[in-house]
Amino acid sequence: FFLYIFLPVNLILYYATRSYAVRNFVLVAMSFLFYAWGEPVWVLLLLASGFMVWFCSLLVELFAGTRRGKAALIFAVTISLSLLGIFKYSGFLNETHDWFGFPSVVPQIALPIGISFYTFQMISYIVDVYRGDVKAQPSFLRFIMYVSMYFQLVAGPIVLYSDVAWEIGH
């Protein structure tokens, strides 16, 4: 299905226009469609965590060099790592609850596709914004495209924003 339908449709839609804005939208839409194929509800997690990191990156840049900027960075990294920890280790906690004497109340949660990659990609982005290596992306659509590109979301590698900022900027 991927090789004979999904990828050709993506390429046709992408190259059917010369507008970078439309091309970016096509990449985001196809990435979300690809991601939703595994489990549609996790698209909301990707959007929510992406929005939180994007918004915090704007705050980090706005308040650069101040306690507020550092607080925005710490908040974004803490929430991102907490979400990753919940999804990656809730099953482990459920299996080992006996060790600590806790009742078995930890739910089994399915692991969202690509959560490790997009979490670390977002963290690398906001840290780069904090260090002043890159400017915060003012467009949420462009930021979420950077985070959700389906062709690297599930297999990596983690792409630094500085490596693709120029291409995304169109």
Side-chain angles (χ1 to χ4, degrees), residues 66-119:
T66 68
R67 294 174 71 181
R68 288 181 179 174
K70 191 172 192 174
L73 170 72
I74 291 169
F75 176 79
V77 170
T78 301
I79 296 299
S80 296
L81 290 176
S82 296
L83 288 171
L84 179 62
I86 288 168
F87 286 100
K88 294 275 284 191
Y89 299 109
S90 65
F92 173 75
L93 289 175
N94 194 37
E95 292 174 10
T96 60
H97 69 277
D98 302 356
W99 295 1
F100 306 108
F102 296 119
S104 180
V105 295
V106 180
Q108 280 293 102
I109 302 173
L111 187 63
I113 298 169
I115 190 170
S116 296
F117 285 109
Y118 73 72
T119 298

Side-chain angles (χ1 to χ4, degrees), residues 21-58:
V22 174
R23 285 181 171 186
N24 288 349
F25 180 77
V26 166
L27 286 177
V28 169
M30 295 303 285
S31 293
F32 285 163
L33 182 63
F34 179 85
Y35 197 67
W37 197 274
E39 184 62 48
V41 71
W42 298 134
V43 172
L44 297 175
L45 178 68
L46 175 60
L47 279 169
S49 61
F51 184 81
M52 182 269 307
V53 170
W54 172 75
F55 184 75
C56 286
S57 73
L58 297 175

Side-chain angles (χ1 to χ4, degrees), residues 106-147:
V106 180
Q108 280 293 102
I109 302 173
L111 187 63
I113 298 169
I115 190 170
S116 296
F117 285 109
Y118 73 72
T119 298
F120 289 120
Q121 193 154 306
M122 286 190 288
I123 290 172
S124 75
Y125 163 79
I126 198 164
V127 167
D128 284 349
V129 171
Y130 177 77
R131 291 193 304 202
D133 295 342
V134 297
K135 294 282 187 192
Q137 174 54 256
S139 166
F140 178 67
L141 180 70
R142 290 178 183 167
F143 173 75
I144 205 67
M145 182 185 66
Y146 157 69
V147 171

